[in-house]
Amino acid sequence: MAEETPINSTRPVRAAIVALVRNSDLFGLRLAIRQIEDRFNRKFQYPYIFVNDEPFTEEFKQGVRDLTRARVDFGLLDEESWTVPKWIDKARYAEVKRTAKYPHGEKDSYRKMCRFQSGFLHKHPLLADLEYYWRIEPDVEYFCDIDYDPFLFMRQNGIKYGWNIAMTEFMDTVATLWNTTMAFAQENPQMIAKRSMRNWLVDANGAYNGCHFWSNFEIVDLSFYRSAEYQMYFDYLDRAGGFFYERWGDAPVHSIAAALLLDASQVHYFSDIGYFHPSVLSCPADARTRSSCVCDSDSSFVQNGLCTVRFKEERHHALFPDAKHEAVH
Ligand code: GDP
Ligand code: MN
């Protein structure tokens, strides 16, 4: 994708900390905000934006505002962005929900949530002026001070997608996601980046290996999700119906899009940010020598996990194809 932003600009970044949440998430969200404030935002004062498929209660709004001096906006979703689209076959979908064996397999709301985060969050009117967002969720924790501005870091380095945890997916939830993606890629070959992270996604047989970034943490240059390429990809997936006939997550959808549509240099691993989402902890390797950190890097298996290690290798290979056998750090 073309670079639209002047890289060395020091003008303030139009960015916000964003989440889709329910009223019942108040206490988990307060935990997350308190940590984001302590570790980062007390210094930087980025605004927050929370959206919900139901109106937020006054108790919720007050409970959030009590924790920050930054601006907080609360929004509601429109009908189209939180629905089972009319082209979904109701009988087929009902049968899927009845028989699905994976987590949240019986739920409408979880599927609507994944579809919303995949295709609509970045289009919400409250986000219209933003260049970047940082997604948070209830119950996430931040273990170390973040002394620099990740948004500015991303702009200065031309990064479009920043992640912190990479994992493999429950494959039954994405049974046809890869084949659907490959059909899209065949119809739109010019959209696939020359130096893409495609190899990070495939196993030795060319099938999807399930690797994806956990999108409960993602810092994104929204020009990526607003691009015609991403929009066409999302629409193609939405039409295929897998958000409902399976349970495609916004995490694999965002990840596959980032790995195929972006240049490998535009995807960044924030390994220095200590982060927890139930039940996975990512603790920086140097946490013991950073006085602000309160996590144990020895218990952070995800930083050495398969998808993380392969990300580093494949990114290196994509960017330096002639240096295949060098060690990757
Ligand atoms: P998990 O991380 O995959 O286990 O999913 P979560 O239950 O944490 O949901 C992901 C995000 O979507 C969280 O921020 C939730 O608060 C939010 N979410 C999930 N379901 C709903 C829903 O039905 N309504 C609203 N408003 N938010 C939801
Ligand atoms: Mn969650």
Side-chain angles (χ1 to χ4, degrees):
M1 284 170 50
E3 188 61 66
E4 294 106 1
T5 319
I7 287 189
N8 286 321
S9 165
T10 53
R11 78 179 156 73
V13 181
R14 291 199 308 278
I17 300 161
V18 173
L20 167 76
V21 280
R22 297 161 285 218
N23 284 305
S24 59
D25 291 318
L26 177 58
F27 293 100
L29 186 64
R30 280 173 53 88
L31 176 82
I33 294 172
R34 176 71 208 212
Q35 299 205 18
I36 279 278
E37 285 290 307
D38 285 352
R39 295 309 196 166
F40 168 69
N41 204 43
R42 201 187 296 284
K43 287 192 287 278
F44 292 91
Q45 294 288 307
Y46 280 104
Y48 291 86
I49 299 172
F50 298 110
V51 296
N52 189 351
D53 59 304
E54 293 179 357
F56 283 112
T57 62
E58 285 309 313
E59 181 199 5
F60 185 95
K61 293 183 193 174
Q62 194 57 47
V64 165
R65 289 202 165 112
D66 282 345
L67 291 175
T68 179
R69 286 184 291 119
R71 177 189 172 121
V72 189
D73 283 318
F74 297 94
L76 201 57
L77 312 188
D78 65 15
E79 186 94 25
E80 187 212 354
S81 66
W82 191 266
T83 191
V84 182
K86 57 183 180 317
W87 59 84
I88 298 299
D89 177 331
K90 290 199 174 58
R92 180 177 166 196
Y93 175 38
E95 186 61 14
V96 168
K97 284 190 286 186
R98 204 177 60 76
T99 55
K101 301 243 169 6
Y102 37 79
H104 309 294
E106 74 291 359
K107 282 186 200 149
D108 250 353
S109 63
Y110 196 89
R111 289 185 174 80
K112 288 179 184 167
M113 180 275 284
C114 292
R115 176 174 176 268
F116 173 78
Q117 312 245 41
S118 299
F120 298 93
L121 176 57
H122 56 276
K123 293 201 289 195
H124 192 282
L126 285 177
L127 279 67
D129 290 334
L130 298 186
E131 298 168 280
Y132 295 82
Y133 77 26
W134 178 338
R135 256 192 69 189
I136 64 166
E137 274 194 9
D139 299 307
V140 302
E141 301 192 47
Y142 283 83
F143 294 125
C144 307
D145 286 354
I146 301 164
D147 295 318
Y148 65 101
D149 182 339
F151 298 120
L152 203 55
F153 173 83
M154 287 185 53
R155 183 165 73 197
Q156 286 169 343
N157 292 283
I159 295 160
K160 302 246 176 191
Y161 192 92
W163 62 277
N164 180 271
I165 288 178
M167 305 270 288
T168 50
E169 184 56 291
F170 295 101
M171 294 310 279
D172 287 348
T173 67
V174 288
T176 65
L177 176 58
W178 185 248
N179 285 348
T180 309
T181 301
M182 288 299 99
F184 173 81
Q186 242 162 24
E187 288 176 28
N188 303 283
Q190 76 290 353
M191 290 191 190
I192 309 305
K194 279 203 197 61
R195 302 190 304 176
S196 83
M197 291 290 303
R198 183 184 187 284
N199 288 342
W200 177 63
L201 299 169
V202 294
D203 65 18
N205 303 316
Y208 181 39
N209 59 19
C211 283
H212 64 291
F213 310 124
W214 256 18
S215 52
N216 46 69
F217 173 108
E218 59 175 15
I219 310 181
V220 184
D221 177 340
L222 291 166
S223 69
F224 169 41
Y225 292 155
R226 291 174 184 140
S227 68
E229 290 92 336
Y230 183 84
Q231 192 58 52
M232 281 179 68
Y233 178 56
F234 171 76
D235 290 342
Y236 194 93
L237 297 182
D238 199 24
R239 279 278 157 186
F243 289 107
F244 299 94
Y245 299 138
E246 294 167 19
R247 205 217 64 202
W248 294 348
D250 54 293
V253 169
H254 283 177
S255 305
I256 291 174
L260 296 181
L261 304 179
L262 298 181
D263 188 271
S265 67
Q266 297 174 316
V267 185
H268 178 72
Y269 175 24
F270 279 105
S271 60
D272 56 321
I273 293 184
Y275 176 70
F276 172 81
H277 173 291
S279 53
V280 179
L281 172 149
S282 176
C283 186
D286 63 353
R288 287 190 182 178
T289 57
R290 279 166 65 186
S291 58
S292 78
C293 291
V294 294
C295 59
D296 175 6
S297 42
D298 285 354
S299 65
S300 175
F301 306 108
V302 70
Q303 291 224 345
N304 300 312
L306 178 76
C307 293
T308 309
V309 171
R310 288 208 50 220
F311 174 87
K312 292 190 265 191
E313 289 170 359
E314 296 300 347
R315 187 174 187 272
H316 188 79
H317 292 168
L319 297 178
F320 309 102
D322 300 330
K324 277 210 160 68
H325 303 293
E326 274 176 25
V328 178
H329 297 290

